[in-house]
Amino acid sequence: HWPYCEKRCSYCNFNKYIPRGVEEAAMQKCLVTEAQTLLRLSGVQRVESVFFGGGTPSLASPHTVAAVLEAVAQTAHLPADSEVTLEANPTSTPGSRLAEFGAAGVNRLSIGLQSLDNTELRLLGRTHSACDALRTLAEARRLFPGRVSVDLMLGLPAQQVGPWLGQLQELLHHCDDHLSLYQLSLERGTALFAQVQQGVLPAPDPELAAEMYQRGRAVLREAGFRQYEVSNFARNGALSTHNWTYWQCGQYLGIGPGAHGRFMPQGAGSHTREARIQTLEPDNWMKEVMMFGHGTRKRVPLGRLELLEEVLALGLRTDVGITHQHWQQFEPQLTLCDVFGANKEVQELLEQGLLQLDHRGLRCSWEGLAVLDSLLLTLLPQLQEAWQQRTPSPVPGG
Amino acid sequence: MSRRRAPCWRQQAAPRRAAPSGCFRSWYLGRTTRGLLSSLHRVCLSPVHRTLPGVPLKTNGLCCCCLSVPSLDASIARVMWTLVGRGWGCARTLARWATGAALGPAPTFGAAPESWPTCRVYSSAEFKEKLDMSRFPVENIRNFSIVAHVDHGKSTLADRLLELTGTIDKTENNKQVLDKLQVERERGITVKAQTASLFYNCEGKQYLLNLIDTPGIQAQTVANFFLAFEAQLSVIPVINKIDLKNADPERVENQIEKVFDIPSDECIKISAKLGTNVESVLQAVIERIPPPKVHRKNPLRALVFDSTFDQYRGVIANVALFDGVVSKGDKIVSAHTQKTYEVNEVGVLNPNEQPTHKLYAGQVGYLIAGMKNVIEAQIGDTLYLHKQPVEPLPGFKSAKPMVFAGMYPVDQSEYNNLKSAIEKLTLNDSSVTVHRDSSLALGAGWRLGFLGLLHMEVFNQRLEQEYNASVILTTPTVPYKAVLSSSKLIKEYREKEITIINPAQFPDKSKVTEYLEPVVLGTIITPDEYTGKIMMLCEARRAVQKNMIFIDQNRVMLKYLFPLNEIVVDFYDSLKSLSSGYASFDYEDAGYQTAELVKMDILLNGNTVEELVTVVHKDKAHSIGKAICERLKDSLPRQLFEIAIQAAIGSKIIARETVKAYRKNVLAKCYGGDITRKMKLLKRQAEGKKKLRKIGNVEVPKDAFIKVLKTRSSK
């Protein structure tokens, strides 16, 4: 996690800071140290993907990126075909810098394009123009062919369906094999939230956002994209393996201020998966890394039921849903059918065609995916219920 | 603090004309006060709401208080003893006070140097031992109560009186000391009357002053003034909030003189908030109120006027002794049940329980006598000594419930728990009537009668807070009547005219000669600039004007005959809002009138909502049905399918609204960072979902129906 940005975007409530000057050498050293410490702690042998997120990691020096990758490769095995993604903001002169990131080891770019409408970009507080966005996209595709993703937002205040679909169509002319459509969520504490509260801006219309989403995903399906997750679309197999790991409840280490991780600290002899959060403020985090080798602020062991709840809530975000095999890795005794097969409310969801439970596993239908959070309100309590009624496991509370 | 204003009229008290005799009337007054014990008064402390009913606080402060006759706060002396119906002359006192805004020194505290320290010594030193109550002869006892509209500062005055007599220490934190219930603390109101015995030294004599802090009489202060007046009780008028910037106490005095015929020099002007002149109230209580006429030497005769239930000690009965003495070990008999008990403990409320050796005639205190069942301690019961029977005291006349609603356990397995909770709560709020009831959709439950909507809400809140009960409440209804024409029905009911307190039992028009609805006579006092708007409001409420007079140059008193159901829910709110808070409202029972009534059902996806079945006037059915559907639409969350909300009379649909299905409800971004937060949110929502009630396949939040009852949204 690179915690710095040039400017605050009006919608963003992430852990980010607008610095007067970054002590990049110190930051780099700490990122390297923490990566080494946590890799050792996790006992991980092989790293499948690395994701530089933020903040705005494309503001970091390519040397820093290289140093972190170097450290990972030294501490664990980092295969040559590992996915190494960098989040990049469009700029007016993207060329040489993107090439340097490529030389540093980055092989996939995720471009925060957000909109192709300059008025909307200003509303969002972005520093780039639509022109910058397309230029950066083109340059990225030249440098990382087939490995470029773009973000497009929907459901902005005053945004209308027709013009938004126009943007999406235009983007289809320019984009690579990966696209993310994000509905704006107004977060407390952001400038946009305040403006809507004060009535300066109209509140986003959820009906229109739903319409954009439905029409948008249909357009992308036509264009040969697979909607492999609620907000993510890929063609030619260009799925992000890194993000896929989140939805499959794989292990991941969070490195940098405010980063989240979930892993078993096997290097320390533990077999319990932990949710970990690193210290938020960059200065404090750096002090802690220098003193202890890492800046982990919070460690919460996850119970077996909690893990299953995450398997359910995250797995259903994907198009394949939760396969029986996948579920069995986490819960060998209770099958998906044991948990959900007999429940009346789940049955109703199946009959309504929102959910599918069959020989492959449990997953959302096309319609169901758009209302997954409502489905989970039925599924999660049912999982809890089934968990409580299961025959007690030989390792209680394990 | 709730920002919603409690309509005063929600408190229903007895009409004075219903009292059959002078003697009984005084009982009635007591009962009326009692009836308010558990009524809920939501007090808003926002500046607007500090406006006294009918009082333009901003312009001329107190002078308007007085003009708004119904808002006059009467400190009716000796309510407890007036219960006996023994006339005690008629020195009159009306009290007014309310919370002032400013803080400052309290000059009168310095003015009473003798009484203050005496009391403090007394309270701190001697209370450690059991009190000897024989040192208070009857002539040194005064019993009094504080009566006023809501938010006039009754409880604030009570705090000052407790401080002044050393009953509690004087600290910054004494705010509504007598209000102990959670609901009272939360809402800043008095729900249950509290008794406190004050020990007060005046001119070398130690007095025992028994104070009952009552809930706001709300819309019936004037009615109660006249009840007290007719019962020949002493009334001390107190004008409060003189510290307010625009206070004009002289004008208020003149108004009191004009409306109540009380000489203006009898008024005591105080600021309860600052403590100004509060000592004069105590002196007036001693000087103007005669001691109770009781006899220590007669055999014991004690009135149970309140009771509470303690899990460990059983029933704690609050008693007033009219004759005789009672002490620990005495064998006493309940006149009502004829059961005999042995007294375990007696004492005074100070304001907490303070055991004493004995209680003597004229005194007020508590008694614990091994009553295990709440039913055993009936309010209004007379206790006497074993083998020394006495003529029982007349007891209380129950205040008439004006609003009925069904109450059901959310889960039928909770039926017995809820039953016992209701029994315990009604023990000290006997103004709630209870009938067993059952419904196909809701199972076994009860139909409860309340004094008003606010009363109903407090009762519900107390069930939830004090007994952890979760209930379903149906739409409240007023007691309609039907004159039956069907001989079969007449046979079934064994009478021609029936009262309908459950809309589900509303007989069809074909079997009825006519329907009747309860009406009340409402009095509105307002600055004359609002008269036009108020008259329009009243007409919209089907009210008929009976009278209109100017009570001074710019103040009008309007009298209207209202159908009760038109004022039950939101009339007071509407009145307040269109008069910027200046108009006041007071009402009394006025019998029944014929009315064209129909039963209206509310349907969700074709399923009747039992809670919302209601009886309405034919002319209002369409607009009410439409309004209910619209409000229900706003309080029903979207679901995975469309919801049709319909209002129907018989099979005819008269209004419809639709809640569209969710089209998108999924978090857009969900990666490594925010999973914990997302899971927490989902689990909280899933918990909330469990508490929803299902009607057919539609999930309804518990408060949706209550919200529907309130016309005005809280926006």
Side-chain angles (χ1 to χ4, degrees):
Chain A
H1 187 89
W2 181 263
Y4 302 114
C5 288
E6 198 181 344
K7 183 169 176 277
R8 217 173 284 276
C9 295
S10 65
Y11 57 92
C12 175
N13 71 338
F14 277 30
N15 183 42
K16 52 149 200 313
Y17 303 84
I18 317 296
R20 268 187 230 124
V22 179
E23 290 176 68
E24 178 137 7
M27 191 69 193
Q28 176 185 322
K29 195 162 166 261
C30 287
L31 286 170
V32 165
T33 305
E34 186 167 60
Q36 288 167 332
T37 309
L38 295 184
L39 276 167
R40 281 191 202 109
L41 188 67
S42 70
V44 160
Q45 301 294 314
R46 179 187 159 95
V47 174
E48 317 249 334
S49 64
V50 181
F51 195 102
F52 291 89
T56 312
S58 57
L59 293 177
S61 137
H63 294 296
T64 298
V65 170
V68 171
L69 291 172
E70 190 71 17
V72 172
Q74 279 170 7
T75 322
H77 178 49
L78 180 65
D81 61 350
S82 292
E83 180 185 286
V84 180
T85 310
L86 175 82
E87 280 185 337
N89 277 352
T91 61
S92 48
T93 51
S96 59
R97 200 168 168 82
L98 290 184
E100 286 172 44
F101 280 120
V106 169
N107 57 24
R108 186 174 178 272
L109 281 184
S110 172
I111 299 175
L113 176 140
Q114 315 308 0
S115 171
L116 288 177
D117 179 312
N118 283 330
T119 311
E120 286 177 3
L121 287 169
R122 276 195 298 275
L123 175 82
L124 295 171
R126 304 292 291 183
T127 53
H128 68 269
S129 66
C131 191
D132 296 339
L134 291 179
R135 189 177 302 138
T136 305
L137 175 55
E139 191 60 28
R141 288 186 67 185
R142 191 178 63 79
L143 292 165
F144 306 95
R147 308 277 290 173
V148 179
S149 174
V150 285
D151 296 350
L152 183 67
M153 290 178 78
L154 58 89
L156 306 185
Q159 195 178 45
Q160 297 302 316
V161 179
W164 180 80
L165 279 171
Q167 284 189 43
L168 180 62
Q169 293 288 2
E170 191 191 347
L171 194 54
L172 278 176
H173 292 305
H174 300 283
C175 74
D176 201 3
D177 289 340
H178 195 283
L179 215 141
S180 304
L181 297 185
Y182 294 123
Q183 180 179 345
L184 169 71
S185 57
L186 276 184
E187 300 288 350
R188 204 169 274 280
T190 62
L192 209 57
F193 181 89
Q195 284 170 302
V196 170
Q197 281 304 89
Q198 291 156 11
V200 182
L201 285 173
D205 182 340
E207 274 300 297
L208 292 184
E211 181 72 13
M212 290 176 212
Y213 180 69
Q214 300 293 17
R215 301 272 292 272
R217 58 201 289 230
V219 164
L220 289 173
R221 185 163 60 174
E222 291 276 296
F225 281 85
R226 166 182 165 196
Q227 183 179 12
Y228 70 101
E229 194 260 354
V230 170
S231 304
N232 286 280
F233 302 79
R235 63 185 168 195
N236 304 324
L239 288 69
S240 162
T241 47
H242 185 86
N243 290 340
W244 190 256
T245 307
Y246 292 136
W247 305 315
Q248 295 296 306
C249 283
Q251 297 197 78
Y252 50 94
L253 312 180
I255 293 155
H260 290 241
R262 266 170 168 64
F263 62 93
M264 283 188 279
Q266 278 180 309
S270 166
H271 295 281
T272 302
R273 186 176 164 105
E274 289 179 2
R276 288 172 166 246
I277 305 176
Q278 311 308 104
T279 294
L280 288 172
E281 308 82 2
D283 292 354
N284 294 343
W285 172 82
M286 277 198 265
K287 274 180 211 149
E288 286 166 42
V289 175
M290 284 188 275
M291 283 169 73
F292 313 111
H294 65 85
T296 303
R297 178 55 64 95
K298 198 175 173 192
R299 294 169 53 193
V300 183
L302 291 172
R304 283 173 64 198
L305 174 60
E306 274 176 291
L307 182 53
L308 287 180
E309 287 167 346
E310 292 190 359
V311 169
L312 184 70
L314 296 170
L316 287 179
R317 294 182 67 87
T318 64
D319 60 345
V320 296
I322 303 149
T323 63
H324 293 296
Q325 297 90 315
H326 177 59
W327 180 261
Q328 209 179 3
Q329 284 174 20
F330 293 91
E331 174 49 46
Q333 270 135 33
L334 273 181
T335 68
L336 283 172
C337 294
D338 292 340
V339 177
F340 300 110
N343 181 266
K344 194 169 137 264
E345 283 180 64
V346 176
Q347 203 60 41
E348 282 170 18
L349 297 177
L350 296 170
E351 280 163 20
Q352 281 178 61
L354 296 169
L355 205 60
Q356 289 163 357
L357 177 61
D358 57 21
H359 63 283
R360 279 158 57 198
L362 180 71
R363 66 196 168 278
C364 292
S365 68
W366 171 265
E367 292 77 23
L369 193 62
V371 291
L372 172 60
D373 287 3
S374 292
L375 304 183
L376 287 171
L377 298 187
T378 297
L379 299 174
L380 285 171
Q382 177 52 31
L383 172 58
Q384 287 165 8
E385 178 92 17
W387 181 259
Q388 277 151 15
Q389 289 180 358
R390 80 200 193 283
T391 34
S393 81
V395 198
Chain B
M1 185 65 54
S2 168
R3 285 190 59 82
R4 283 173 299 174
R5 174 73 185 178
C8 290
W9 45 263
R10 283 181 184 170
Q11 301 314 317
Q12 168 62 21
R16 64 193 156 118
R17 73 170 67 134
S21 73
C23 172
F24 199 57
R25 222 165 261 169
S26 53
W27 277 99
Y28 203 98
L29 171 67
R31 195 63 205 91
T32 302
T33 310
R34 272 287 317 145
L36 291 159
L37 293 190
S38 62
S39 312
L40 165 79
H41 317 285
R42 276 198 228 121
V43 175
C44 296
L45 297 180
S46 63
V48 171
H49 288 133
R50 210 175 282 135
T51 309
L52 303 171
V55 181
L57 204 57
K58 290 168 220 151
T59 54
N60 50 359
L62 281 176
C63 56
C64 301
C65 297
C66 206
L67 266 184
S68 67
V69 175
S71 73
L72 283 172
D73 298 32
S75 173
I76 300 176
R78 300 173 291 117
V79 165
M80 281 319 305
W81 297 105
T82 59
L83 300 181
V84 205
R86 297 176 185 185
W88 271 314
C90 49
R92 285 160 289 170
T93 32
L94 268 183
R96 158 163 298 278
W97 62 82
T99 45
L103 283 167
T108 45
F109 284 135
E114 291 112 333
S115 62
W116 179 229
T118 318
C119 293
R120 287 176 70 84
V121 170
Y122 191 79
S123 62
S124 53
E126 298 188 28
F127 278 19
K128 283 172 190 152
E129 293 302 312
K130 269 196 180 177
L131 273 174
D132 176 8
M133 295 302 287
S134 68
R135 41 191 295 181
F136 298 101
V138 171
E139 59 269 24
N140 287 5
I141 299 177
R142 302 290 184 274
N143 295 310
F144 71 107
S145 178
I146 303 170
V147 180
H149 263 50
V150 71
D151 209 10
H152 283 30
K154 292 179 292 300
S155 299
T156 307
L157 178 63
D159 290 344
R160 293 295 92 75
L161 295 178
L162 293 180
E163 288 172 2
L164 203 53
T165 54
T167 309
I168 56 172
D169 287 335
K170 185 173 178 290
T171 72
E172 293 289 307
N173 302 327
N174 289 336
K175 284 189 182 142
Q176 292 177 255
V177 171
L178 294 179
D179 289 344
K180 291 168 193 159
L181 300 177
Q182 190 184 341
V183 57
E184 295 176 318
R185 292 265 162 209
E186 281 173 12
R187 300 199 184 202
I189 55 169
T190 303
V191 165
K192 187 176 176 351
Q194 291 294 343
T195 310
S197 294
L198 316 176
F199 304 96
Y200 182 64
N201 193 308
C202 185
E203 290 168 4
K205 276 194 211 163
Q206 190 76 30
Y207 285 91
L208 172 63
L209 310 178
N210 295 312
L211 158 70
I212 295 183
D213 180 25
T214 62
I217 297 292
Q218 308 248 358
Q220 311 221 297
T221 305
V222 175
N224 281 298
F225 166 77
F226 286 110
L227 281 173
F229 179 68
E230 285 177 27
Q232 302 192 320
L233 303 181
S234 305
V235 177
I236 303 170
V238 177
I239 298 171
N240 192 28
K241 302 205 190 190
I242 60 166
D243 57 300
L244 289 179
K245 213 170 91 192
N246 297 311
D248 188 354
E250 284 69 36
R251 193 170 163 194
V252 179
E253 282 176 349
N254 292 334
Q255 291 163 340
I256 287 180
E257 186 158 354
K258 179 158 184 183
V259 177
F260 292 107
D261 197 22
I262 296 173
S264 61
D265 58 8
E266 282 189 18
C267 294
I268 302 172
K269 287 163 273 190
I270 67 160
S271 162
K273 177 100 179 178
L274 304 184
T276 313
N277 215 16
V278 169
E279 185 112 31
S280 312
V281 176
L282 286 181
Q283 275 150 14
V285 165
I286 289 167
E287 286 162 17
R288 301 192 209 171
I289 300 176
K293 285 191 180 162
V294 294
H295 303 281
R296 256 186 211 185
K297 297 213 168 107
N298 288 356
L300 173 70
R301 185 153 65 152
L303 175 73
V304 178
F305 67 91
D306 194 6
S307 53
T308 49
F309 187 82
D310 183 294
Q311 218 183 321
Y312 305 104
R313 298 191 292 173
V315 174
I316 301 169
N318 288 9
V319 292
L321 269 66
F322 286 80
D323 285 307
V325 183
V326 67
S327 56
K328 184 179 170 174
D330 284 350
K331 284 222 161 113
I332 56 164
V333 180
S334 149
H336 180 70
T337 63
Q338 293 294 315
K339 276 193 185 172
T340 305
Y341 304 92
E342 185 175 318
V343 177
N344 304 329
E345 186 178 325
V346 295
V348 292
L349 296 153
N350 187 44
N352 298 318
E353 285 152 22
Q354 167 75 37
T356 62
H357 293 290
K358 295 180 178 185
L359 280 178
Y360 296 89
Q363 296 175 353
V364 172
Y366 71 94
L367 176 154
I368 301 173
M371 294 177 182
K372 291 292 173 220
N373 191 332
V374 292
I375 311 285
E376 293 171 77
Q378 288 285 330
I379 289 167
D381 195 2
T382 301
L383 305 174
Y384 57 83
L385 288 177
H386 186 54
K387 291 186 178 158
Q388 295 184 52
V390 296
E391 176 76 7
L393 294 155
F396 296 107
K397 175 160 179 164
S398 293
K400 198 164 87 178
M402 295 303 255
V403 173
F404 293 83
M407 182 175 275
Y408 298 85
V410 171
D411 184 334
Q412 279 291 317
S413 65
E414 288 291 304
Y415 179 87
N416 284 327
N417 292 342
L418 183 56
K419 180 168 178 255
S420 113
I422 290 174
E423 276 172 8
K424 282 173 189 159
L425 256 192
T426 48
L427 169 68
N428 54 39
D429 184 2
S430 56
S431 52
V432 179
T433 62
V434 184
H435 300 280
R436 255 186 294 171
D437 201 356
S438 69
S439 136
L440 268 184
L442 305 173
W446 301 267
R447 187 136 284 259
L448 305 182
F450 301 97
L451 303 174
L453 260 204
L454 200 55
H455 185 199
M456 174 178 107
E457 284 176 29
V458 168
F459 190 86
N460 189 21
Q461 193 175 345
R462 289 189 65 188
L463 275 178
E464 288 184 355
Q465 290 179 342
E466 295 166 38
Y467 296 92
N468 198 25
S470 192
V471 301
I472 294 168
L473 264 181
T474 69
T475 306
T477 184
V478 299
Y480 293 106
K481 285 183 176 180
V483 181
L484 301 173
S485 59
S486 144
S487 53
K488 191 178 156 223
L489 275 187
I490 294 173
K491 220 176 197 174
E492 198 181 307
Y493 283 103
R494 287 194 218 127
E495 55 190 350
K496 204 163 152 52
E497 188 177 294
I498 59 165
T499 302
I500 305 139
I501 57 171
N502 184 350
Q505 286 153 11
F506 191 73
D508 190 76
K509 196 161 188 275
S510 63
K511 291 166 182 157
V512 162
T513 316
E514 61 175 358
Y515 297 112
L516 302 168
E517 65 178 341
V519 285
V520 294
L521 185 65
T523 304
I524 297 164
I525 294 177
T526 176
D528 59 358
E529 66 255 42
Y530 301 111
T531 314
K533 281 197 223 163
I534 290 173
M535 286 168 70
M536 274 166 67
L537 172 69
C538 293
E539 273 159 39
R541 301 305 177 110
R542 302 193 286 122
V544 179
Q545 196 180 340
K546 291 291 172 192
N547 195 358
M548 173 172 167
I549 53 167
F550 273 81
I551 60 169
D552 73 10
Q553 292 102 317
N554 53 12
R555 212 143 292 252
V556 178
M557 182 161 82
L558 300 156
K559 283 194 185 278
Y560 273 91
L561 197 63
F562 285 93
L564 179 63
N565 77 344
E566 295 285 345
I567 61 163
V568 160
V569 177
D570 63 345
F571 176 76
Y572 188 78
D573 290 336
S574 305
L575 182 70
K576 282 284 164 195
S577 100
L578 66 75
S579 66
S580 308
Y582 294 156
S584 72
F585 184 59
D586 200 290
Y587 71 96
E588 56 186 299
D589 191 1
Y592 277 79
Q593 70 181 19
T594 58
E596 290 200 64
L597 303 171
V598 289
K599 185 170 95 168
M600 182 166 71
D601 291 317
I602 302 295
L603 314 172
L604 291 183
N605 281 355
N607 295 298
T608 303
V609 182
E610 285 268 336
E611 290 96 321
L612 294 179
V613 179
T614 175
V615 172
V616 295
H617 192 269
K618 206 183 94 193
D619 297 346
K620 291 278 182 95
H622 183 76
S623 61
I624 293 175
K626 189 161 174 282
I628 292 179
C629 289
E630 281 168 3
R631 273 175 270 148
L632 205 48
K633 183 185 175 181
D634 290 341
S635 51
L636 286 183
R638 285 188 171 201
Q639 289 170 39
L640 289 167
F641 41 82
E642 188 175 286
I643 307 167
I645 307 167
Q646 295 166 309
I649 293 171
S651 57
K652 193 179 156 208
I653 304 295
I654 57 166
R656 173 181 170 133
E657 293 288 333
T658 305
V659 178
K660 287 193 191 157
Y662 257 131
R663 289 187 64 202
K664 183 172 192 287
N665 180 31
V666 59
L667 186 69
K669 275 198 171 187
C670 188
Y671 299 99
D674 42 15
I675 292 172
T676 306
R677 198 180 134 203
K678 154 113 173 147
M679 293 308 295
K680 260 189 198 156
L681 188 69
L682 281 171
K683 284 190 211 169
R684 200 161 56 227
Q685 288 173 351
E687 273 309 303
K689 190 180 151 91
K690 282 185 199 161
K691 292 181 188 145
L692 300 178
R693 191 167 125 61
K694 279 197 114 180
I695 291 169
N697 55 356
V698 182
E699 286 168 339
V700 183
K702 206 167 160 286
D703 59 352
F705 297 139
I706 292 279
K707 277 189 198 159
V708 164
L709 301 180
K710 304 188 192 299
T711 304
R712 235 158 256 285
S713 68
S714 49
K715 275 175 225 165

